[in-house]
Amino acid sequence: MKNSQPPAAPTGTNIVSLRQDRKPVVEFWYEFASTYSYLSAMRIETLASDYGVEIAWRPFLLGPIFKKQGWPTSPFNLYPAKGHYMWRDMERLCRQYGLPFTLPSPFPQDALLAARIAHAAQNQPWIGAFTRAVFIAEFGQGLNIADESLMAELLLEIGAPARTALATAHSRDNKISLRAAVTEAEKLGIFGAPSFVIPGGDLYWGDDRLEQALEAAGNLVETDA
């Protein structure tokens, strides 16, 4: 009897081989300290449904990637004119999308704990709700997402097992796995967030490329048929 299961995904990725009975998967690489990742995280599930694709949540850390480029902090801090434009742009876009916006202090925030929790839970049914809750706390309310008590509160609010989630996030295996995710992001050519990788490996960068990435992935249904 032939194996009816879909071919295995390449090692280290969440992308599966596309079958006619499966939706194409878009990898959503996001950094909790990233302003534009906030915009994408709040919209991506609804838009993915519209385009007939699924989302693989891929939280990671940009800090190690920036350091290899010689940047000790966000380029929005290193280049004041760019930073000034970004904050004004965020005000406009949040107003357009109906999202709350508060400039967090400090910026960028320490997103390590949030990233560890989300990385450990990326295949849990509550990963989307947790991701949105963290971004709202950070960029909507200006709260400190490095605060473990805040993370526990957010987990409980969305109905997630807070104690287990935090314990798993702090585990040695999860810490190693998150570092490996950063290496994987680099191999995919990711240099900023948000980034979207569609089946076949095409990379789209920036919140303003979200719809384009989802549309391109959705079109794979027709080309694969």
Side-chain angles (χ1 to χ4, degrees), residues 149-192:
S149 63
L150 173 61
M151 293 297 102
E153 180 181 340
L154 296 179
L155 286 164
L156 290 172
E157 286 180 356
I158 64 170
R163 183 173 298 179
T164 300
L166 287 169
T168 305
H170 287 302
S171 70
R172 180 175 180 272
D173 286 348
N174 186 60
K175 293 175 181 178
I176 293 173
S177 182
L178 178 57
R179 289 197 291 271
V182 175
T183 300
E184 181 184 351
E186 291 181 289
K187 289 180 179 178
L188 289 170
I190 292 173
F191 53 88

Side-chain angles (χ1 to χ4, degrees), residues 30-46:
Y30 60 99
E31 152 76 73
F32 280 112
S34 161
T35 51
Y36 290 104
S37 288
Y38 166 44
L39 302 179
S40 290
M42 301 306 293
R43 304 185 299 129
I44 193 168
E45 280 194 318
T46 298

Side-chain angles (χ1 to χ4, degrees), residues 103-225:
L103 195 159
S105 181
F107 175 80
Q109 287 214 9
D110 179 356
L112 179 59
L113 176 59
R116 284 175 174 170
I117 296 171
H119 178 74
Q122 60 187 285
N123 295 315
Q124 295 296 324
W126 45 266
I127 179 60
F130 174 73
T131 296
R132 290 187 293 272
V134 172
F135 275 121
I136 285 290
E138 179 183 13
F139 292 111
Q141 300 171 301
L143 301 179
N144 177 16
I145 63 171
D147 184 348
E148 186 160 330
S149 63
L150 173 61
M151 293 297 102
E153 180 181 340
L154 296 179
L155 286 164
L156 290 172
E157 286 180 356
I158 64 170
R163 183 173 298 179
T164 300
L166 287 169
T168 305
H170 287 302
S171 70
R172 180 175 180 272
D173 286 348
N174 186 60
K175 293 175 181 178
I176 293 173
S177 182
L178 178 57
R179 289 197 291 271
V182 175
T183 300
E184 181 184 351
E186 291 181 289
K187 289 180 179 178
L188 289 170
I190 292 173
F191 53 88
S195 288
F196 314 96
V197 180
I198 71 171
D202 273 353
L203 172 66
Y204 295 78
W205 169 59
D207 176 67
D208 57 349
R209 293 294 181 266
L210 171 56
E211 288 88 341
Q212 184 180 0
L214 296 177
E215 181 179 15
N219 288 338
L220 293 175
V221 175
E222 298 178 2
T223 58
D224 187 69

Side-chain angles (χ1 to χ4, degrees), residues 16-86:
V16 298
S17 297
L18 188 61
R19 289 164 50 103
Q20 294 182 34
D21 58 347
R22 292 186 67 95
K23 294 180 179 180
V25 178
V26 174
E27 291 194 344
F28 172 36
W29 291 81
Y30 60 99
E31 152 76 73
F32 280 112
S34 161
T35 51
Y36 290 104
S37 288
Y38 166 44
L39 302 179
S40 290
M42 301 306 293
R43 304 185 299 129
I44 193 168
E45 280 194 318
T46 298
L47 288 172
S49 178
D50 292 341
Y51 284 100
V53 305
E54 293 182 355
I55 300 301
W57 300 82
R58 302 303 310 269
F60 75 118
L61 298 169
L62 270 175
I65 294 175
F66 283 170
K67 286 181 180 179
K68 288 185 177 181
Q69 299 180 53
W71 297 346
T73 184
S74 167
F76 294 123
N77 288 342
L78 294 174
Y79 305 100
K82 187 173 185 177
H84 177 76
Y85 173 83
M86 182 273 291

